[in-house]
């Protein structure tokens, strides 16, 4: 019988090898079983979190373009860090902005404190988080003492400010948030420009973030306190709406959108002033407002002023896709993306792509990411994350506003997902980014990306395609029937690559919603390709066990009666993986044994007595024993089978009473 099984198995392997040669296995297949289980748990948690947070497409995004049309505007070179550019750029504050500050900015404690500092010094520091109204407060304080307002942009300390850049009587605002030199401010940095300012009768306010150490500057620093956005909204409405025609308090009480900053309040006020005279309701106007995170993302990706380069844009996009992964991975991925975007921009013949100064970008990236830590981060190999909600906002802005780069983005994501040196966590994050883009144009993303992944020779891409479809089905339940049909259609395809993708798809929530049918399809696929699909089928069945444990164990018992040795090996390996799933109080398979001892007990018996058992199920039982798991009932059940008693005693797994009888 053993010789027959061996011959049968050899025939199956020869058939599968000739039919399916050339398929590339995922990189993690080379890892140990313990490392594979660790990755599986991490992936399960990430998938669960994504599915739990999936929501319908927000149709309230208004028109607009973060990139000046379908074509990216601004500078189209990525400079090397050693290249020299003008160190100081001076820009005027728009006249409308100046009028807005003068007419509508009421006095706040921060503004008065900053005016007090400027009365004593020509230079002052305003410390606070971005997006809290710092810039408006600083301009309002400068406007209280200076007639004309300008902004400065540079990477250097103001001690190096050149007199030729300044004009007489102007007030200057220098946003130095995140700059390296601001991490520990000194009097030399701040007061070094006093003589230059005095020579032209100018004043300067420097904005720094909460990560700046300003203890060496007593009397020169004002701490920013954000004004209440609701108060800002009321002030804006009182000033902008015709007197007596609208009840400002009643309008404010009807506002449904959350205002997180003064900028939100101003934008909403402008929308209300424009929409209310047209007969639109406050609720309708609020529904069309861009959320603050989307607005922040568009601002970052627009790369205004002195930060117009594809390198920084690629860095932020890569950070959004690989959110939470080591920054060194983000840097590598960003450089690959920058090269693709560089081609999209159709650069001139003299254009070149230099090495990107990611170390210099890190501080700026941290400020955009909303990193909460107050200390200085120097390394680029640290694991960092965007603030909650910002990564999806970046992906939204990229897809909606950067249409010309869609194919380049998909090409870049495909490279990340199929990287033979990659890992499954990166692959999952790429798949979820693809799913996010598919919310806006499913047909395009499916045709250009998901279908191509499914037809590739890479099992890693098959897995990514399944995860992407799972995420789409979670975000849009109405698409679930079509995605389920894809799984069934691919399972019947002659193309082995599509069948490989179907196996992975049955192991997602697509299969969990119809576990019986999914398991039958997996059995048919395993019967057809018992060698090459064995690992994928095993993993999908383990995933289904989490959602339908009883159904899976009953089906495995049926599979264990298969005449194919490779299928019996598959059952043994699957049961071992199920037995070693993480648990809090008791392994899930033992819970199922307590509920249905006949089915689960027979499954263990058939697996352990089979010639195709292998060592994995025995190792799982030994792991339980080492961990102190109480499975006395199952031990007794197994010990009742005479053929198993020698092995149970050999591994030290015999019931306690049986051990005493044996020694007696």
């Amino acid at each position: 019988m053993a010789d027959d099984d061996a011959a049968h198995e050899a025939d199956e392997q020869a058939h599968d090898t000739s039919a399916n040669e050339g398929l590339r296995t995922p990189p993690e297949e080379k890892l140990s079983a313990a490392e594979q289980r660790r990755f599986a748990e991490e992936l399960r948690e990430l998938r669960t979190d994504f599915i739990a947070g999936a929501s319908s497409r927000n149709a309230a995004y208004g028109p607009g373009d973060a990139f000046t049309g379908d074509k990216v505007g601004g500078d189209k070179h990525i400079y090397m860090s050693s290249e020299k550019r003008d160190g100081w750029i001076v820009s005027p504050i728009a006249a409308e902005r100046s009028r807005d500050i003068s007419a509508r900015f009421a006095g706040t404690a921060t503004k008065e404190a900053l005016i007090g500092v400027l009365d004593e010094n020509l230079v002052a520091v305003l410390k606070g988080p971005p997006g809290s109204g710092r810039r408006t407060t600083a301009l309002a304080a400068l406007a209280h003492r200076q007639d004309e307002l300008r902004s400065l942009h540079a990477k250097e300390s103001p001690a190096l400010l050149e007199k030729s850049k300044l004009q007489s009587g102007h007030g200057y605002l220098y946003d130095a948030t995140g700059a390296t030199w601001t991490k520990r401010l000194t009097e030399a940095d701040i007061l070094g420009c006093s003589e230059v300012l005095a020579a032209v009768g100018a004043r300067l306010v420097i904005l720094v973030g909460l990560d700046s150490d300003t203890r060496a500057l007593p009397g020169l620093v004002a701490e920013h306190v954000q004004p209440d956005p609701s108060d800002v909204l009321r002030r804006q409405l009182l000033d902008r709406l015709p007197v007596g025609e609208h009840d400002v308090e009643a309008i404010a009480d009807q506002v449904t959108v959350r205002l997180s900053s003064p900028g939100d309040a101003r934008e909403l006020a402008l929308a209300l002033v424009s929409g209310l005279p047209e007969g639109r309701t406050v609720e309708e106007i609020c529904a069309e407002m861009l959320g603050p995170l989307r607005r922040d993302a568009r601002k970052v990706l627009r790369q205004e002023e002195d930060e117009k380069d594809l390198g920084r844009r690629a860095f932020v996009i890569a950070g959004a896709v690989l959110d939470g992964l080591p920054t060194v991975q983000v840097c590598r991925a960003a450089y690959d993306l920058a090269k693709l975007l560089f081609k999209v921009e159709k650069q001139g013949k003299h254009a070149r792509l230099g090495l990107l100064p990611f170390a210099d970008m890190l501080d700026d990236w941290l400020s955009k990411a909303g990193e909460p830590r107050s200390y200085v981060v120097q390394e680029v190999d640290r694991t960092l994350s965007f603030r909650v909600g910002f990564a999806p906002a970046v992906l939204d802005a990229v897809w909606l506003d950067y249409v010309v780069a869609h194919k380049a983005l998909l090409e870049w994501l495909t490279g990340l997902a199929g990287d033979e040196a990659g890992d499954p966590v990166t692959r999952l994050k790429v798949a979820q980014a693809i799913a996010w883009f598919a919310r806006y144009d499913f047909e395009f993303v499916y045709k250009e990306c998901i279908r191509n992944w499914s037809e590739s020779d890479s099992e890693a891409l098959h897995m990514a395609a399944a995860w992407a479809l799972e995420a789409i089905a979670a975000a849009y339940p109405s698409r679930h029937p079509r995605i389920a049909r894809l799984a069934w259609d691919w399972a019947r395809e002659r193309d082995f690559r599509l069948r490989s993708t179907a196996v992975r798809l049955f192991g997602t929530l697509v299969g969990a919603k119809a576990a019986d049918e999914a398991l039958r399809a997996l059995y048919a696929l395993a019967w057809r390709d018992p060698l090459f699909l064995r690992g994928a089928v095993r993993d999908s069945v383990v995933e289904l066990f989490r959602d339908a444990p009883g159904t899976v164990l009953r089906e495995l018992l049926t599979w264990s009666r298969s005449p194919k040795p490779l299928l019996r090996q598959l059952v043994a390996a699957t049961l071992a993986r199920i037995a070693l799933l993480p648990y809090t109080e008791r392994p899930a398979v033992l819970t199922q044994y307590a509920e249905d001892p006949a089915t689960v007990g027979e499954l263990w018996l058939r697996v352990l007595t089979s010639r195709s058992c292998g060592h994995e199920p025995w190792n799982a039982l030994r792991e339980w024993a080492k961990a102190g798991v109480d499975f006395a009932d199952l031990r007794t059940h197994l010990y009742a089978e005479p053929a198993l008693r020698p092995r149970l005693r050999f591994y030290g797994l015999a019931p306690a009473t049986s051990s005493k009888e044996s020694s007696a």
Side-chain angles (χ1 to χ4, degrees):
M1 180 65 181
D3 292 340
D4 292 342
D5 282 352
H8 192 182
E9 183 174 340
D11 290 342
E12 288 178 338
Q13 291 181 357
H15 170 75
D16 281 350
T17 301
S18 62
N20 307 316
E21 59 183 354
L23 202 63
R24 303 193 306 276
T25 59
E28 60 270 20
E29 287 295 317
K30 301 176 183 178
L31 300 176
S32 67
E35 290 175 313
Q36 290 183 36
R37 292 198 302 270
R38 179 182 62 80
F39 266 124
E41 289 310 307
E42 185 176 358
L43 294 168
R44 174 75 178 191
E45 183 177 351
L46 291 170
R47 288 168 51 217
T48 301
D49 290 345
F50 184 91
I51 291 169
S55 59
S56 297
R57 173 181 176 178
N58 180 3
Y61 297 145
D65 194 339
F67 300 95
T68 317
D70 285 349
K71 192 74 174 166
V72 178
D75 296 342
K76 296 183 179 179
H77 296 281
I78 299 179
Y79 293 89
M80 295 181 65
S81 57
S82 60
E83 292 187 41
K84 297 296 184 181
R85 287 184 284 178
D86 190 356
W88 293 88
I89 301 173
V90 180
S91 306
I93 301 298
E96 174 58 29
R97 177 78 163 135
S98 296
R99 287 195 299 271
D100 190 64
I101 290 169
S102 301
R104 302 181 181 94
F105 191 90
T108 64
T110 302
K111 173 187 171 184
E112 299 306 321
L114 191 56
I115 290 173
V117 175
L118 290 172
D119 283 341
E120 300 294 330
N121 306 275
L122 296 178
V123 59
V125 176
L126 182 58
K127 181 177 181 179
S132 60
R134 296 177 310 161
R135 185 179 180 87
T136 302
T137 300
L139 289 172
L142 282 170
H144 199 72
R145 291 289 181 265
Q146 308 295 139
D147 294 331
E148 298 290 337
L149 303 180
R150 297 287 186 272
S151 63
L152 290 173
H153 307 283
K155 298 294 183 183
E156 303 169 332
S157 162
L160 303 175
L161 182 58
E162 304 167 11
K163 181 180 177 180
S164 60
K165 295 293 182 182
L166 305 179
Q167 298 185 40
S168 177
H170 287 195
Y172 293 91
L173 177 66
Y174 178 15
D175 188 348
T177 305
T180 303
W181 65 269
T182 67
K183 300 307 178 185
R184 188 180 296 276
L185 292 176
T186 65
E187 286 193 357
D189 287 322
I190 303 305
L191 297 180
C193 63
S194 295
E195 291 186 5
V196 173
L197 293 170
V200 296
R203 283 184 171 85
L204 172 67
V205 173
I206 303 169
L207 300 182
V208 299
L210 296 176
D211 58 342
S212 293
D213 185 346
T214 59
R215 290 174 294 180
L217 304 173
L220 293 176
V221 180
E223 300 284 346
H224 180 63
V225 178
Q226 175 176 295
D228 185 348
S230 298
D231 291 341
V232 175
L233 175 64
R234 288 177 171 82
R235 280 205 313 270
Q236 293 273 336
L237 292 175
L238 283 170
D239 184 75
R240 295 177 183 276
L241 290 172
V243 178
E245 293 187 13
H246 298 276
D247 185 342
V248 169
E249 289 300 323
I251 293 172
D253 289 342
Q254 296 175 57
V255 169
T256 57
V257 66
R258 184 178 68 86
L259 303 175
S260 61
S261 70
D264 292 348
R266 180 177 182 274
E267 184 171 340
L268 178 57
L270 291 171
L272 290 168
V273 169
S274 174
L276 290 175
E278 298 175 356
R280 307 181 66 204
T281 67
V282 175
E283 184 177 358
E284 291 172 342
I285 296 170
C286 288
E288 294 179 357
M289 295 297 295
L290 283 174
L293 289 175
R294 260 295 306 282
R295 187 163 48 252
D296 288 350
R298 295 178 71 183
K299 182 178 179 182
V300 170
L301 290 165
R302 189 180 294 115
Q303 304 299 336
E304 294 176 325
E305 299 158 349
D306 65 332
E307 297 180 352
K308 293 178 180 176
D309 63 70
L310 295 176
R312 291 184 182 275
R313 181 173 300 143
F315 200 32
V316 175
I317 296 172
V321 172
L322 304 179
D323 189 30
L325 296 185
T327 309
V328 68
Q329 289 183 243
V330 176
C331 293
R332 292 182 184 128
Y335 186 72
D336 291 339
L337 176 58
K339 289 189 290 186
L340 291 172
L341 297 182
F342 190 74
K343 294 178 181 178
V344 169
E345 292 306 308
K346 298 180 180 178
Q347 304 294 319
K349 62 181 180 179
H350 299 299
R352 63 189 181 281
L353 178 64
L355 296 176
L356 300 179
F358 287 125
D360 295 338
M361 293 179 187
L362 184 55
D363 287 334
D364 177 66
W365 182 80
L366 287 174
S367 68
K368 303 302 187 299
E371 173 66 19
R373 298 164 184 164
S374 58
Y375 54 79
V376 180
V377 177
Q378 298 290 351
E379 305 88 349
V380 295
D381 57 353
R382 189 183 298 275
T383 298
L384 301 167
S385 297
F386 281 148
R387 65 186 185 271
V388 176
F390 189 67
V394 169
L395 297 180
D396 283 334
V398 167
W399 193 260
L400 293 174
D401 301 329
Y402 202 3
V403 177
V404 71
H406 282 180
K407 288 191 175 183
L409 285 168
L410 297 185
E411 179 183 347
W412 171 67
L413 290 169
T414 298
L416 281 178
D419 186 357
E420 294 187 2
D423 63 83
V425 176
T426 297
R427 194 180 312 134
L428 175 61
K429 287 184 174 291
V430 169
Q432 291 173 345
I434 286 294
W436 202 266
F437 294 150
R439 300 184 317 146
Y440 297 105
D441 194 342
F442 176 83
E443 298 300 335
F444 176 79
V445 172
Y446 173 76
K447 177 183 176 182
E448 297 290 334
C449 193
I450 296 175
R451 179 73 188 197
N452 290 338
W453 288 1
S454 304
E455 295 176 336
S456 76
D457 292 327
S458 169
E459 288 187 88
L461 288 179
H462 300 166
M463 195 176 300
W467 285 336
L469 290 169
E470 174 189 45
I472 294 168
Y476 281 100
S478 61
R479 293 201 182 276
H480 186 277
R482 177 176 178 183
I483 293 172
R485 285 196 301 273
L486 278 178
W488 282 101
D489 291 344
W490 289 347
R492 292 188 289 265
E493 282 281 352
R494 292 176 59 85
D495 189 334
F496 172 76
R497 298 167 296 183
L498 290 175
R499 298 201 304 274
S500 173
T501 307
V503 169
R504 273 81 182 188
L505 191 50
F506 283 126
T508 67
L509 67 81
V510 176
K513 287 184 177 295
D516 290 322
E517 291 85 350
L519 286 165
R520 285 195 289 272
L522 287 170
Y523 181 74
L525 287 161
W527 179 275
R528 187 174 181 179
D529 300 292
L531 178 62
F532 278 87
L533 287 182
R534 182 170 50 185
V537 171
R538 176 201 63 204
D539 294 341
S540 290
V541 174
V542 172
E543 286 299 310
L544 291 175
F545 174 82
R546 301 171 189 263
D547 297 297
T551 302
V552 166
L553 294 177
R554 287 191 296 272
E555 191 68 23
L556 285 178
L557 178 58
T558 302
W559 294 16
S560 69
R561 302 186 181 104
S562 169
K564 284 197 173 188
L566 286 176
L567 278 177
R568 297 198 298 272
Q569 287 182 15
L570 168 62
V571 173
T574 304
L575 182 59
R577 288 291 178 98
I578 288 173
L580 293 177
L581 287 174
Y583 59 91
T584 52
E585 297 179 359
R586 189 169 178 78
V589 71
L590 288 180
T591 302
Q592 291 301 310
Y593 176 75
E595 295 179 3
D596 187 1
T599 299
V600 181
E602 184 182 353
L603 174 60
W604 275 103
L605 284 171
R606 293 192 67 87
V607 165
L608 295 176
T609 56
S610 170
R611 290 186 176 88
S612 304
C613 174
H615 63 275
E616 291 179 281
W618 289 104
N619 287 342
L621 293 176
R622 294 171 66 194
E623 287 292 326
W624 283 355
K626 290 179 182 178
V629 174
D630 179 10
F631 61 107
D633 292 344
L634 180 59
R635 290 190 193 202
T636 302
H637 191 122
L638 298 177
Y639 199 76
E641 171 57 50
L644 290 179
R645 290 174 185 172
R647 298 285 296 274
L648 289 168
R649 287 195 292 265
F650 175 79
Y651 286 122
L653 298 173
T657 55
S658 301
S659 299
K660 292 178 182 178
E661 292 172 1
S662 177
S663 61

